PDB file of all heavy atoms in Angstrom:
ATOM      1  N   TRP A 115      -5.035   0.038   4.781  1.00  0.00           N
ATOM      2  CA  TRP A 115      -5.819   0.625   5.836  1.00  0.00           C
ATOM      3  C   TRP A 115      -6.966  -0.326   6.271  1.00  0.00           C
ATOM      4  O   TRP A 115      -7.818  -0.676   5.429  1.00  0.00           O
ATOM      5  CB  TRP A 115      -6.389   1.968   5.388  1.00  0.00           C
ATOM      6  CG  TRP A 115      -5.333   2.939   5.166  1.00  0.00           C
ATOM      7  CD1 TRP A 115      -4.730   3.304   3.969  1.00  0.00           C
ATOM      8  CD2 TRP A 115      -4.656   3.731   6.160  1.00  0.00           C
ATOM      9  NE1 TRP A 115      -3.790   4.274   4.152  1.00  0.00           N
ATOM     10  CE2 TRP A 115      -3.684   4.539   5.504  1.00  0.00           C
ATOM     11  CE3 TRP A 115      -4.739   3.817   7.575  1.00  0.00           C
ATOM     12  CZ2 TRP A 115      -2.812   5.401   6.177  1.00  0.00           C
ATOM     13  CZ3 TRP A 115      -3.902   4.714   8.242  1.00  0.00           C
ATOM     14  CH2 TRP A 115      -2.965   5.485   7.527  1.00  0.00           C
ATOM     15  N   PRO A 118     -10.047   3.833   7.116  1.00  0.00           N
ATOM     16  CA  PRO A 118      -9.400   5.083   6.565  1.00  0.00           C
ATOM     17  C   PRO A 118      -9.216   6.147   7.604  1.00  0.00           C
ATOM     18  O   PRO A 118      -9.976   6.183   8.625  1.00  0.00           O
ATOM     19  CB  PRO A 118     -10.376   5.464   5.478  1.00  0.00           C
ATOM     20  CG  PRO A 118     -11.715   4.846   5.865  1.00  0.00           C
ATOM     21  CD  PRO A 118     -11.386   3.638   6.664  1.00  0.00           C
ATOM     22  N   ALA A 158      12.564 -12.693   1.261  1.00  0.00           N
ATOM     23  CA  ALA A 158      12.449 -11.461   1.981  1.00  0.00           C
ATOM     24  C   ALA A 158      13.796 -11.201   2.634  1.00  0.00           C
ATOM     25  O   ALA A 158      14.350 -10.111   2.531  1.00  0.00           O
ATOM     26  CB  ALA A 158      11.367 -11.572   3.032  1.00  0.00           C
ATOM     27  N   GLN A 168      23.950 -20.140   6.585  1.00  0.00           N
ATOM     28  CA  GLN A 168      23.109 -19.334   5.677  1.00  0.00           C
ATOM     29  C   GLN A 168      21.632 -19.722   5.813  1.00  0.00           C
ATOM     30  O   GLN A 168      21.347 -20.949   6.079  1.00  0.00           O
ATOM     31  CB  GLN A 168      23.490 -19.551   4.200  1.00  0.00           C
ATOM     32  CG  GLN A 168      24.946 -19.263   3.925  1.00  0.00           C
ATOM     33  CD  GLN A 168      25.366 -19.563   2.499  1.00  0.00           C
ATOM     34  OE1 GLN A 168      24.603 -20.106   1.714  1.00  0.00           O
ATOM     35  NE2 GLN A 168      26.557 -19.163   2.188  1.00  0.00           N
ATOM     36  N   LEU A 176       8.511 -15.891   6.298  1.00  0.00           N
ATOM     37  CA  LEU A 176       8.737 -14.869   7.293  1.00  0.00           C
ATOM     38  C   LEU A 176       7.372 -14.496   7.975  1.00  0.00           C
ATOM     39  O   LEU A 176       7.289 -14.372   9.218  1.00  0.00           O
ATOM     40  CB  LEU A 176       9.340 -13.584   6.672  1.00  0.00           C
ATOM     41  CG  LEU A 176       9.676 -12.417   7.640  1.00  0.00           C
ATOM     42  CD1 LEU A 176      10.694 -12.862   8.650  1.00  0.00           C
ATOM     43  CD2 LEU A 176      10.203 -11.192   6.837  1.00  0.00           C
ATOM     44  N   GLY A 195       0.691  -1.726  23.311  1.00  0.00           N
ATOM     45  CA  GLY A 195       1.151  -0.655  24.244  1.00  0.00           C
ATOM     46  C   GLY A 195       2.239  -1.169  25.231  1.00  0.00           C
ATOM     47  O   GLY A 195       2.964  -0.282  25.738  1.00  0.00           O
ATOM     48  N   ALA A 241      11.887   2.861  29.742  1.00  0.00           N
ATOM     49  CA  ALA A 241      10.724   2.517  28.921  1.00  0.00           C
ATOM     50  C   ALA A 241       9.728   1.657  29.692  1.00  0.00           C
ATOM     51  O   ALA A 241       8.665   1.340  29.136  1.00  0.00           O
ATOM     52  CB  ALA A 241      11.225   1.798  27.679  1.00  0.00           C
ATOM     53  N   MET A 245       9.145  -7.105  28.968  1.00  0.00           N
ATOM     54  CA  MET A 245       9.795  -8.317  28.468  1.00  0.00           C
ATOM     55  C   MET A 245      11.144  -8.001  27.859  1.00  0.00           C
ATOM     56  O   MET A 245      11.274  -6.909  27.300  1.00  0.00           O
ATOM     57  CB  MET A 245       8.917  -8.994  27.435  1.00  0.00           C
ATOM     58  CG  MET A 245       9.507 -10.303  26.888  1.00  0.00           C
ATOM     59  SD  MET A 245       8.605 -10.914  25.449  1.00  0.00           S
ATOM     60  CE  MET A 245       7.455 -11.989  26.244  1.00  0.00           C
ATOM     61  N   PRO A 313      -5.521  -4.260  14.026  1.00  0.00           N
ATOM     62  CA  PRO A 313      -5.656  -2.930  13.473  1.00  0.00           C
ATOM     63  C   PRO A 313      -5.204  -1.898  14.544  1.00  0.00           C
ATOM     64  O   PRO A 313      -5.791  -1.880  15.673  1.00  0.00           O
ATOM     65  CB  PRO A 313      -7.140  -2.752  13.147  1.00  0.00           C
ATOM     66  CG  PRO A 313      -7.588  -4.216  13.094  1.00  0.00           C
ATOM     67  CD  PRO A 313      -6.786  -4.966  14.077  1.00  0.00           C
ATOM     68  N   THR A 339       3.164   4.578  14.013  1.00  0.00           N
ATOM     69  CA  THR A 339       2.924   3.517  13.023  1.00  0.00           C
ATOM     70  C   THR A 339       2.779   4.022  11.601  1.00  0.00           C
ATOM     71  O   THR A 339       3.698   3.756  10.725  1.00  0.00           O
ATOM     72  CB  THR A 339       1.673   2.716  13.429  1.00  0.00           C
ATOM     73  OG1 THR A 339       1.920   2.153  14.730  1.00  0.00           O
ATOM     74  CG2 THR A 339       1.435   1.547  12.435  1.00  0.00           C
ATOM     75  N   LEU A 344       4.887   4.852   6.117  1.00  0.00           N
ATOM     76  CA  LEU A 344       4.883   5.462   4.771  1.00  0.00           C
ATOM     77  C   LEU A 344       6.160   6.064   4.383  1.00  0.00           C
ATOM     78  O   LEU A 344       6.688   5.878   3.287  1.00  0.00           O
ATOM     79  CB  LEU A 344       3.730   6.472   4.768  1.00  0.00           C
ATOM     80  CG  LEU A 344       3.637   7.312   3.469  1.00  0.00           C
ATOM     81  CD1 LEU A 344       3.241   6.443   2.300  1.00  0.00           C
ATOM     82  CD2 LEU A 344       2.699   8.514   3.660  1.00  0.00           C
ATOM     83  N   CYS A 368      20.421  -3.693  13.499  1.00  0.00           N
ATOM     84  CA  CYS A 368      19.048  -3.241  13.882  1.00  0.00           C
ATOM     85  C   CYS A 368      19.033  -2.535  15.194  1.00  0.00           C
ATOM     86  O   CYS A 368      18.012  -2.002  15.594  1.00  0.00           O
ATOM     87  CB  CYS A 368      18.096  -4.430  13.883  1.00  0.00           C
ATOM     88  SG  CYS A 368      17.681  -5.002  12.246  1.00  0.00           S
ATOM     89  N   ARG A 442      25.152  -1.927  -8.457  1.00  0.00           N
ATOM     90  CA  ARG A 442      24.691  -0.853  -9.350  1.00  0.00           C
ATOM     91  C   ARG A 442      24.534   0.473  -8.655  1.00  0.00           C
ATOM     92  O   ARG A 442      24.468   1.536  -9.281  1.00  0.00           O
ATOM     93  CB  ARG A 442      23.395  -1.230 -10.099  1.00  0.00           C
ATOM     94  CG  ARG A 442      22.184  -1.393  -9.182  1.00  0.00           C
ATOM     95  CD  ARG A 442      20.924  -1.606 -10.025  1.00  0.00           C
ATOM     96  NE  ARG A 442      19.776  -1.573  -9.126  1.00  0.00           N
ATOM     97  CZ  ARG A 442      19.100  -0.441  -8.854  1.00  0.00           C
ATOM     98  NH1 ARG A 442      19.461   0.697  -9.410  1.00  0.00           N
ATOM     99  NH2 ARG A 442      18.074  -0.453  -8.051  1.00  0.00           N
ATOM    100  N   GLY A 445      25.563   3.516  -1.242  1.00  0.00           N
ATOM    101  CA  GLY A 445      25.026   4.516  -0.313  1.00  0.00           C
ATOM    102  C   GLY A 445      25.857   4.683   0.898  1.00  0.00           C
ATOM    103  O   GLY A 445      26.587   3.757   1.299  1.00  0.00           O
ATOM    104  N   TYR A 557      11.806  22.620  13.138  1.00  0.00           N
ATOM    105  CA  TYR A 557      12.571  21.515  13.745  1.00  0.00           C
ATOM    106  C   TYR A 557      14.037  21.827  13.649  1.00  0.00           C
ATOM    107  O   TYR A 557      14.587  22.028  12.537  1.00  0.00           O
ATOM    108  CB  TYR A 557      12.195  20.242  13.052  1.00  0.00           C
ATOM    109  CG  TYR A 557      13.160  19.075  13.480  1.00  0.00           C
ATOM    110  CD1 TYR A 557      12.927  18.392  14.618  1.00  0.00           C
ATOM    111  CD2 TYR A 557      14.182  18.721  12.680  1.00  0.00           C
ATOM    112  CE1 TYR A 557      13.758  17.346  15.021  1.00  0.00           C
ATOM    113  CE2 TYR A 557      15.059  17.659  13.016  1.00  0.00           C
ATOM    114  CZ  TYR A 557      14.822  16.997  14.200  1.00  0.00           C
ATOM    115  OH  TYR A 557      15.654  15.984  14.528  1.00  0.00           O
ATOM    116  N   ASP A 568      24.193  25.808  -6.565  1.00  0.00           N
ATOM    117  CA  ASP A 568      23.212  24.938  -7.255  1.00  0.00           C
ATOM    118  C   ASP A 568      22.152  24.451  -6.331  1.00  0.00           C
ATOM    119  O   ASP A 568      21.372  23.579  -6.653  1.00  0.00           O
ATOM    120  CB  ASP A 568      23.985  23.666  -7.802  1.00  0.00           C
ATOM    121  CG  ASP A 568      25.056  24.069  -8.791  1.00  0.00           C
ATOM    122  OD1 ASP A 568      24.814  24.998  -9.555  1.00  0.00           O
ATOM    123  OD2 ASP A 568      26.143  23.432  -8.770  1.00  0.00           O
ATOM    124  N   VAL A 580      31.266  23.219  16.450  1.00  0.00           N
ATOM    125  CA  VAL A 580      31.891  24.304  15.716  1.00  0.00           C
ATOM    126  C   VAL A 580      33.119  24.827  16.456  1.00  0.00           C
ATOM    127  O   VAL A 580      33.161  24.899  17.677  1.00  0.00           O
ATOM    128  CB  VAL A 580      30.882  25.475  15.553  1.00  0.00           C
ATOM    129  CG1 VAL A 580      31.542  26.715  15.015  1.00  0.00           C
ATOM    130  CG2 VAL A 580      29.759  25.031  14.589  1.00  0.00           C
ATOM    131  N   THR A 590      33.911  21.335  11.630  1.00  0.00           N
ATOM    132  CA  THR A 590      34.864  20.213  11.822  1.00  0.00           C
ATOM    133  C   THR A 590      35.141  19.433  10.580  1.00  0.00           C
ATOM    134  O   THR A 590      36.262  19.093  10.262  1.00  0.00           O
ATOM    135  CB  THR A 590      34.248  19.197  12.837  1.00  0.00           C
ATOM    136  OG1 THR A 590      32.863  18.978  12.484  1.00  0.00           O
ATOM    137  CG2 THR A 590      34.284  19.802  14.245  1.00  0.00           C
ATOM    138  N   HIS A 642      49.619  21.177   4.578  1.00  0.00           N
ATOM    139  CA  HIS A 642      48.669  20.621   3.682  1.00  0.00           C
ATOM    140  C   HIS A 642      47.268  21.206   3.875  1.00  0.00           C
ATOM    141  O   HIS A 642      46.640  21.632   2.915  1.00  0.00           O
ATOM    142  CB  HIS A 642      48.627  19.084   3.849  1.00  0.00           C
ATOM    143  CG  HIS A 642      47.628  18.408   2.956  1.00  0.00           C
ATOM    144  ND1 HIS A 642      47.850  18.172   1.574  1.00  0.00           N
ATOM    145  CD2 HIS A 642      46.370  17.922   3.185  1.00  0.00           C
ATOM    146  CE1 HIS A 642      46.778  17.589   1.073  1.00  0.00           C
ATOM    147  NE2 HIS A 642      45.875  17.421   2.007  1.00  0.00           N
ATOM    148  N   GLY A 648      43.213  26.996   3.557  1.00  0.00           N
ATOM    149  CA  GLY A 648      43.561  28.291   4.091  1.00  0.00           C
ATOM    150  C   GLY A 648      44.233  28.346   5.437  1.00  0.00           C
ATOM    151  O   GLY A 648      44.114  27.398   6.218  1.00  0.00           O
ATOM    152  N   ASP A 693      34.884   1.484  22.553  1.00  0.00           N
ATOM    153  CA  ASP A 693      36.070   0.891  23.087  1.00  0.00           C
ATOM    154  C   ASP A 693      36.690   1.820  24.118  1.00  0.00           C
ATOM    155  O   ASP A 693      37.337   2.842  23.771  1.00  0.00           O
ATOM    156  CB  ASP A 693      37.046   0.579  21.938  1.00  0.00           C
ATOM    157  CG  ASP A 693      38.323  -0.096  22.411  1.00  0.00           C
ATOM    158  OD1 ASP A 693      38.478  -0.215  23.624  1.00  0.00           O
ATOM    159  OD2 ASP A 693      39.101  -0.473  21.511  1.00  0.00           O
TER     160      ASP A 693
END
Side-chain angles (χ1 to χ4, degrees):
W115 294 97
Q168 303 177 354
L176 184 61
M245 179 191 270
T339 301
L344 173 67
C368 286
R442 64 174 189 89
Y557 169 80
D568 301 320
V580 168
T590 47
H642 178 76
D693 180 355

